[in-house]
């Protein structure tokens, strides 16, 4: 059983390494994700964000602008999810009666 | 839970470490505009500083810092800060969470977005901190921890 786990781990690691060897180089300006237009000729959202994030919100951190401004409703949903997790701990754990 | 003795060394060490973690958490929240950070990360750091005291000091000491019943209202306050920011933008004729339309602020639209992002990140940090502490308190409820 232990050998099976080790074999599965090695297989999984080799799959991940094989997949990672196909990734584009980091910071290469010729990457598709850094292009202003996609393969089909439409505008890519990322180039707009990189060019206009500072002019829209005067915030140097682009990630903060995306999370707090462009996708703020999404962030609100994430916060509600975390809040729901807290409420569920109240419902499940707080009303436990002593068995003694 | 196995009964353990109180250790003054651990309490002293965590007392030394906790304010610095809390200060770093506040830095991560309020400087999320300039450096990696934001509400979720900063709230987690604030919760770590509070949970360190709770783990090492026990119920009697941690009651001095944040009471157990105070965590749920703090979490609700955090969510409501975010939601009311969105509603205030709606009340003056904008879209939901459109910071340009926030009342009581008269600046350039870009700088109003700057302050709007800061307000909602404070709300996120407060909610995340209170919820993590709340989960810990509910899990150890009824047990004489530390």
């Amino acid at each position: 059983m232990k050998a099976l786990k080790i074999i599965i781990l090695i297989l999984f690691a080799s799959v991940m390494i094989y997949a990672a060897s196909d990734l584009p180089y980091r910071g290469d300006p010729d990457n598709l994700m850094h292009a202003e237009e996609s393969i089909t000729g439409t505008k890519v959202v990322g180039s707009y964000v990189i060019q206009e994030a500072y002019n829209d919100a005067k915030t140097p951190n682009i990630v903060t602008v995306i999370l707090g401004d462009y996708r703020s409703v999404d962030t609100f949903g994430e916060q509600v999810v975390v809040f729901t997790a807290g409420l569920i701990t109240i419902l499940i754990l707080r009303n436990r009666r002593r068995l003694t | 839970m196995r009964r353990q003795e109180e250790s003054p060394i651990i309490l002293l060490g965590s007392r030394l470490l906790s304010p610095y973690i809390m200060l770093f958490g506040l830095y991560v929240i309020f400087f999320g505009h300039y450096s990696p950070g934001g509400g979720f990360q900063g709230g987690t750091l604030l919760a770590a500083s509070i949970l360190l005291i709770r783990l090492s000091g026990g119920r009697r000491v941690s009651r001095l810092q944040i009471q157990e019943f105070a965590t749920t209202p703090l979490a609700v306050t955090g969510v409501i800060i975010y939601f009311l920011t969105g509603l205030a933008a709606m009340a003056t004729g904008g879209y939901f969470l459109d910071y340009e339309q926030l009342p009581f602020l008269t600046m350039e639209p870009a700088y109003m977005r700057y302050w709007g992002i800061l307000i909602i990140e404070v709300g996120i940090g407060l909610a995340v901190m209170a919820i993590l502490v709340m989960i810990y308190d509910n899990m150890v409820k009824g047990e004489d921890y530390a």
Side-chain angles (χ1 to χ4, degrees), chain A residues 54-62 64-65 67-69 71-76 78-80 82-87 89-90 93-94 96 98, chain B residues 32-37 40 72 75-76 78-79 82-83 96-97 99 110-111 113-114 117 120-121 123-124 127 131 134-135 138-139 141-143:
Chain A
Y54 187 73
N55 297 328
D56 277 349
K58 295 293 176 196
T59 301
N61 192 354
I62 298 175
T64 307
V65 180
L67 285 181
D69 200 333
R71 299 185 54 182
S72 52
V73 181
D74 183 58
T75 310
F76 180 63
E78 288 174 11
Q79 196 191 11
V80 170
V82 175
F83 181 67
T84 313
L87 288 186
T89 60
I90 290 181
L93 298 171
R94 192 175 277 187
R96 181 192 293 165
R98 280 300 176 93
Chain B
H33 291 83
Y34 303 100
S35 58
F40 288 100
T72 314
V76 174
V79 177
Y82 202 141
F83 190 65
F96 185 64
L97 289 167
Y99 308 122
Y111 284 102
R113 288 182 176 275
Y114 178 93
I117 292 172
I120 64 156
E121 292 216 339
I124 294 171
I131 287 163
M134 185 165 83
I135 289 173
N138 288 332
M139 285 174 81
K141 191 93 176 168
E143 296 195 30

Side-chain angles (χ1 to χ4, degrees), chain B residues 70-96:
Chain B
T71 53
T72 314
L74 276 178
V76 174
T77 309
V79 177
I80 280 180
I81 284 173
Y82 202 141
F83 190 65
L84 281 187
T85 310
L87 275 193
M90 274 179 90
T92 48
Y95 294 109
F96 185 64

Side-chain angles (χ1 to χ4, degrees), chain B residues 14 32 43 56 62 67 85 96-97 101 110 118 123 141:
Chain B
S14 52
S56 61
S62 69
Q67 300 252 359
T85 310
F96 185 64
L97 289 167
Q101 306 286 336
L118 186 61
K141 191 93 176 168

